Amino acid sequence: MYSKKEYFRHSLLFLFTLIATTLAGGEWVYGKSVLGEGESLLTVEYFLKSLAFSLSFIGILLIHELGHFFTALHHKVKCSLPYFIPGWLGFLGMPSIGTFGAVIQMKGFVNSRKKFFDIGIAGPLAGFVVALVVLVYGFTTLPEADYIYTVHPEYADPDFQGFEEGVFEFELGNNLLFWGLGQIFADPERMPAMSEMIHYPYLFAGFLALFFTALNLLPIGQLDGGHVIFGLFPKVHREISLVAYVLFMGFAGLGLISPFAPIEDLMLYIPLYLGFLFVCFTKSGLGIQSRITLALSIAAIQYAMVFLFPGIEGYHGWLVYGFLLGRVMGLRHPEVTGTRQLDGKRKALGILAIILFILCFSPEPFIFK
């Protein structure tokens, strides 16, 4: 079915991604870089140790994509092998996780709600099972509490008062599932703070897996969650997708424009922000007037929220993903002929997928200080 050239290309991308995520793992987990010097140099020893992160993380992504892949083959829908996209940015001095993700490209025409549903839901469910195993293993095998001193020896200094101003600090935002697993399986005396989770390879890999699972299960457009909603609610999937996207963007941009900002700043920021929102609805299927109305409404509600609750703020990092959804991927799902309902088992799996989204979603997944 696939040529030797395709197998070679996809295998090479996978290998590059594995190397890139291992380099990123060395930076996050151990604070060591292949470009570092002295104690901060990523040696062969620490490169091999960093495989605990990269193999766990890339393994979960691989199982996710294979879930899509084999389900597509089962339904006789042509698709590509999984594309892994390496993305190590350490050479720029920027933090990265070593990859921009993985995808499969659908090459065959899908004209069935059931097939869309099956292919869409198979990936998140398969990846989630492996992520759950990785997280349970990570929580049940936590090292002694003084392990953190091997990464941050300065913590052992009684005079240590925290990092100096300007030093990069990073913290993972929690979600219901991650928190719950920690409560059930972790030894409280060994449980690290969320600001130190990046130094625990299995927990960091599992957290990232939950993050990507939640992103994929957003009930919008042609995301996996969009396929699920399209299968469960065929008559109102457009409305659900649009409402979910509006709420997503509403939270993402909350606090960007404030009535307490200087008027000269508002005169610049408000038009730019309104233009951004308008562009984000490019592939919504709405007319120009409706897009203008939505952009104005979202901005007005956000402005009023800040006025009523000073200091309230959303997670602005979501704006980039919101732009990709609305401008590049689109908010609409491909139509199919026929309106046959899903069977009971598929409906149950669809409800399970919605529950998993709620459990895995982090409103503020990455907190930079």
Side-chain angles (χ1 to χ4, degrees), residues 35-338:
L35 302 178
E37 299 178 354
E39 291 295 322
S40 64
L41 176 66
L42 180 67
T43 61
V44 174
E45 176 189 358
Y46 278 95
F47 180 87
L48 295 176
K49 286 184 177 181
S50 301
L51 286 171
F53 166 77
S54 60
L55 288 174
S56 300
F57 180 42
I58 294 301
I60 295 169
L61 292 184
L62 176 62
I63 296 300
H64 178 116
E65 294 306 320
L66 289 180
H68 292 313
F69 177 77
F70 286 117
T71 306
L73 293 186
H74 172 74
H75 286 299
K76 296 180 173 56
V77 176
K78 292 183 180 180
C79 63
S80 70
L81 293 166
Y83 282 97
F84 279 83
I85 309 171
W88 178 66
L89 303 178
F91 65 95
L92 296 176
M94 296 175 60
S96 67
I97 56 175
T99 179
F100 295 113
V103 296
I104 63 169
Q105 182 181 5
M106 305 301 293
K107 297 181 178 180
F109 179 64
V110 182
N111 194 27
S112 163
R113 179 172 289 111
K114 183 179 73 173
K115 291 181 181 180
F116 265 127
F117 179 89
D118 288 355
I119 295 171
I121 202 172
L125 291 184
F128 173 79
V129 171
V130 183
L132 195 60
V133 172
V134 169
L135 283 171
V136 171
Y137 178 79
F139 280 121
T140 55
T141 59
L142 286 172
E144 296 291 340
D146 59 2
Y147 156 77
I148 196 64
Y149 298 144
T150 65
V151 182
H152 288 292
E154 64 274 12
Y155 288 177
D157 186 348
D159 297 325
F160 180 69
Q161 299 294 323
F163 294 106
E164 299 178 0
E165 185 177 350
V167 175
F168 172 76
E169 293 186 64
F170 176 80
E171 181 176 329
L172 298 181
N174 225 326
N175 58 64
L176 291 173
L177 184 63
F178 194 84
W179 172 83
L181 291 175
Q183 294 294 311
I184 296 171
F185 294 104
D187 180 347
E189 295 184 359
R190 300 185 181 190
M191 185 69 174
M194 292 303 293
S195 58
E196 305 298 343
M197 287 290 181
I198 58 174
H199 302 306
Y200 296 75
Y202 300 110
L203 299 185
F204 189 31
F207 179 89
L208 291 176
L210 299 187
F211 167 72
F212 282 111
T213 296
L215 283 191
N216 280 292
L217 286 177
L218 280 167
I220 297 173
Q222 298 187 53
L223 295 174
D224 295 337
H227 294 320
V228 171
I229 295 300
F230 181 71
L232 290 175
F233 311 106
K235 295 182 179 179
V236 292
H237 67 92
R238 291 183 182 178
E239 290 78 5
I240 294 175
S241 177
L242 182 60
V243 169
Y245 184 71
V246 169
L247 292 174
F248 184 77
M249 295 300 290
F251 172 71
L254 189 60
L256 269 182
I257 52 174
S258 167
F260 307 109
I263 186 66
E264 57 270 20
D265 290 345
L266 291 176
M267 292 178 65
L268 173 64
Y269 295 153
I270 290 179
L272 289 176
Y273 183 55
L274 288 174
F276 171 79
L277 289 176
F278 177 79
V279 171
C280 283
F281 284 94
T282 300
K283 292 191 176 182
S284 63
L286 300 173
I288 293 179
Q289 185 174 351
S290 297
R291 290 162 57 194
I292 293 174
T293 301
L294 271 178
L296 289 171
S297 299
I298 292 173
I301 292 173
Q302 291 171 336
Y303 190 86
M305 289 286 289
V306 176
F307 178 78
L308 294 173
F309 307 99
I312 191 172
E313 190 172 346
Y315 185 69
H316 303 331
W318 289 129
L319 290 172
V320 177
Y321 192 60
F323 175 82
L324 293 175
L325 286 176
R327 179 63 182 85
V328 180
M329 299 176 63
L331 308 182
R332 304 180 69 178
H333 193 283
E335 290 290 349
V336 299
T337 58

Side-chain angles (χ1 to χ4, degrees), residues 121 217 219 225 228-229 232-233 347-360:
I121 202 172
L217 286 177
V228 171
I229 295 300
L232 290 175
F233 311 106
K347 288 181 179 179
L349 287 176
I351 294 172
L352 174 62
I354 295 173
I355 294 173
L356 291 184
F357 166 73
I358 296 171
L359 292 176
C360 296

Side-chain angles (χ1 to χ4, degrees), residues 3-15 81:
S3 66
K4 292 182 179 180
K5 183 178 180 181
E6 288 177 299
Y7 280 117
F8 178 76
R9 178 172 63 245
H10 289 268
S11 299
L12 197 61
L13 283 172
F14 177 81
L15 178 61
L81 293 166

